[in-house]
């Protein structure tokens, strides 16, 4: 079992396959988009597969494919298929905005994608446009329907934003009455590609919970699965569950089992660090598998204790502000 210097198990990789996205969520990137990476700055599928295989040999048993928007990268389905065949890899999961996903759901089912996290901040078409700058709510809802139709485990992730979607908390929870989905509310983080609008967190996990509790006084705490980043709840009589992710308050670092690789091959051993090793550069410099494994292990043994320490250790001392699209959420 792969362990870090604080005795924490590492078994979960989040791999961002592109920085490009077909939405422009204001909390993630500027409306004009980012300075997109060129193709040669991106890891190739062969490089991604090589590093995934190595990490699986080292102890990773779950890989989440994210982005940017994973489905905007050409040939992503072929890559998902090869990952799904990787011996020793227990779960392949995906985080998507759902804009292009609906027609691909039957194939996702066929290749045994374990679960899909669908980002959905609002059920209101006007608010969706105001948040994402694109009129794509119907496409996202179609993806949700397809995922349920094909019986793929779905989590809906909603970032809670003052003045933008706090009226959606209760309607989103209402979905769990009839649908077997988990709706998770996420504290907004400063990863917005510019650092401008983020001032302080208006909706922390406590305020989110109190608001839900007012509407559903009989909401019950349920056990959190191992390594869960969410505090999980159930409303009696509902088919689905509710979760709250204290992403900014960072209260789950003590059991963090995840590492990240960005589209340009940067390994992050904490969401809040600024990258500890570039695996793409190492592979392109001709490092062999054993040497790459040693470099990875070395990075795992220097992991920050928590997100606060990782943020303090960043080379660039400014508060974090890069886009989540370059990290993968
Ligand atoms: N495009 C895919 C999607 O929308 O799910 C995957 C990548 S997206 C960067 C992953 C997740 O990060 C989304 O659920 C998004 O809402 C979340 N995210 C992006 N910026 C964020 C921020 N500043 N604070 C909290 N969550 C954020």
């Amino acid at each position: 079992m792969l362990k870090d210097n604080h005795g924490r198990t590492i078994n979960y990789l989040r791999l961002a396959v592109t920085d490009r996205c077909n939405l422009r969520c204001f909390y993630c990137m500027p409306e004009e988009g980012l300075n997109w990476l060129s193709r040669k700055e991106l890891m190739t599928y062969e490089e991604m597969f090589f590093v995934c295989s190595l990490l699986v040999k080292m102890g990773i048993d779950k890989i989440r494919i994210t982005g940017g928007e994973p489905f905007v990268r050409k040939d992503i389905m072929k890559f998902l298929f090869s990952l799904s065949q990787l011996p020793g890899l227990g779960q392949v999961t995906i985080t998507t905005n759902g804009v292009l996903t609906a027609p691909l759901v039957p194939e996702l089912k066929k290749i045994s994608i374990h679960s899909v996290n669908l980002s959905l901040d609002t059920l209101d078409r006007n608010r969706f446009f105001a948040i994402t700058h694109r009129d794509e709510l119907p496409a996202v809802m179609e993806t949700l329907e397809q995922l349920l139709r094909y019986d793929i485990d779905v989590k809906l992730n909603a970032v809670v934003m003052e003045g933008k979607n706090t009226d959606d908390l209760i309607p989103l929870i209402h979905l769990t009455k009839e649908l077997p989905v988990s709706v998770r509310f996420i504290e907004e983080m400063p990863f917005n590609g510019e650092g401008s609008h983020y001032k302080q967190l208006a909706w922390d996990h406590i305020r989110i919970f109190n608001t839900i509790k007012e509407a559903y006084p009989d909401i019950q705490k349920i056990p959190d699965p191992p390594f869960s980043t969410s505090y999980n709840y159930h409303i009696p009589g509902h088919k689905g569950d509710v979760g709250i992710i204290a992403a900014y308050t960072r209260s789950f670092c003590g059991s963090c089992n995840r590492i990240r690789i960005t589209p340009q091959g940067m390994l992050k051993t904490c969401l809040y660090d600024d990258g500890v090793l570039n695996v793409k550069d190492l592979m392109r410099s001709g490092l062999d598998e054993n040497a790459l494994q040693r470099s990875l292990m070395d990075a795992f043994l220097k992991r920050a204790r928590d997100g606060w320490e990782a943020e303090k250790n960043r080379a660039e001392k400014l508060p974090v502000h890069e886009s989540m699209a370059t990290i993968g959420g």
Side-chain angles (χ1 to χ4, degrees):
M1 193 174 278
L2 193 53
K3 294 270 182 189
D4 72 8
N5 45 325
H6 303 285
R8 292 172 297 199
T9 300
I10 300 178
N11 62 354
Y12 174 24
L13 166 68
R14 297 176 65 100
L15 176 66
V17 294
T18 177
D19 58 335
R20 291 177 197 240
C21 192
N22 44 2
L23 296 182
R24 291 289 179 277
C25 303
F26 78 94
Y27 54 80
C28 186
M29 63 172 79
E31 197 177 345
E32 64 277 14
L34 300 169
N35 207 353
W36 307 119
L37 295 167
S38 66
R39 185 189 291 197
K40 75 172 191 319
E41 288 172 285
L42 286 179
M43 281 207 288
T44 63
Y45 282 123
E46 290 71 26
E47 287 165 340
M48 288 192 280
F49 190 75
F50 181 76
V51 78
C52 286
S53 321
L54 178 56
L55 284 164
V56 168
K57 281 186 215 154
M58 292 174 73
I60 293 292
D61 61 18
K62 170 175 170 186
I63 298 182
R64 174 172 298 282
I65 299 303
T66 173
E69 171 51 35
F71 292 105
V72 302
R73 186 154 175 184
K74 198 166 160 269
D75 292 333
I76 185 67
M77 292 305 289
K78 284 190 205 150
F79 179 64
L80 289 172
F81 175 73
S82 5
L83 268 192
S84 72
Q85 304 290 304
L86 192 60
L89 180 56
Q91 287 184 20
V92 181
T93 61
I94 302 172
T95 298
T96 175
N97 61 30
V99 172
L100 300 172
T101 320
L104 303 170
V105 169
E107 211 177 327
L108 295 178
K109 179 73 183 179
K110 208 152 71 192
I111 63 174
S112 305
I113 293 303
H114 187 265
S115 69
V116 171
N117 284 4
L118 185 61
S119 301
L120 180 62
D121 297 329
T122 176
L123 294 171
D124 176 277
R125 197 160 172 172
N126 293 326
R127 284 200 287 271
F128 187 94
F129 186 80
I131 292 169
T132 66
H133 298 114
R134 299 288 185 270
D135 184 25
E136 296 285 7
L137 182 63
V140 181
M141 295 310 286
E142 172 68 17
T143 293
L144 174 59
E145 269 175 41
Q146 281 291 84
L147 290 167
L148 291 167
R149 187 172 303 139
Y150 279 83
D151 202 21
I152 296 182
D153 188 29
V154 191
K155 293 194 177 79
L156 295 176
N157 285 341
V159 180
V160 181
M161 298 158 285
E162 172 75 353
K164 296 283 183 183
N165 69 342
T166 51
D167 288 348
D168 282 285
L169 257 68
I170 305 308
L172 280 166
I173 292 181
H174 197 70
L175 289 180
T176 69
K177 189 161 172 40
E178 297 302 336
L179 303 179
V181 294
S182 171
V183 173
R184 301 167 344 145
F185 297 104
I186 307 177
E187 288 178 348
E188 186 183 355
M189 293 179 276
F191 298 97
N192 56 31
E194 48 188 350
S196 57
H197 81 269
Y198 195 91
K199 299 213 169 50
Q200 69 181 67
L201 185 64
W203 284 78
D204 66 2
H205 62 106
I206 298 167
R207 183 167 179 198
I208 296 171
F209 177 74
N210 288 341
T211 305
I212 299 172
K213 173 105 178 149
E214 233 169 72
Y216 294 100
D218 53 352
I219 188 167
Q220 291 167 355
K221 183 82 190 77
I222 53 173
D224 301 324
F227 310 116
S228 174
T229 51
S230 50
Y231 304 117
N232 297 293
Y233 303 91
H234 184 74
I235 296 163
H238 284 216
K239 292 195 174 126
D241 294 324
V242 177
I244 301 176
I245 303 183
Y248 184 70
T249 315
R250 285 166 254 193
S251 48
F252 40 70
C253 304
S255 61
C256 179
N257 63 335
R258 54 186 65 192
I259 54 172
R260 294 175 164 79
I261 296 185
T262 70
Q264 64 272 59
M266 190 58 93
L267 170 74
K268 288 164 74 81
T269 56
C270 170
L271 172 60
Y272 284 86
D273 71 38
D274 52 356
V276 294
L277 188 74
N278 192 307
V279 293
K280 178 197 71 194
D281 293 350
L282 291 180
M283 284 185 281
R284 290 189 188 173
S285 73
L287 213 69
D288 69 17
E289 183 170 329
N290 286 339
L292 184 57
Q293 178 162 347
R294 278 197 300 277
S295 303
L296 286 164
M297 203 58 232
D298 200 43
F300 300 152
L301 293 175
K302 289 192 185 126
R303 209 161 168 234
R305 176 182 308 277
D306 53 32
W308 305 103
E309 187 180 299
E311 193 172 354
K312 208 173 75 215
N313 291 345
R314 291 167 72 95
E316 188 189 345
K317 293 300 174 199
L318 294 169
V320 291
H321 66 281
E322 69 257 46
S323 167
M324 197 61 106
T326 64
I327 307 175

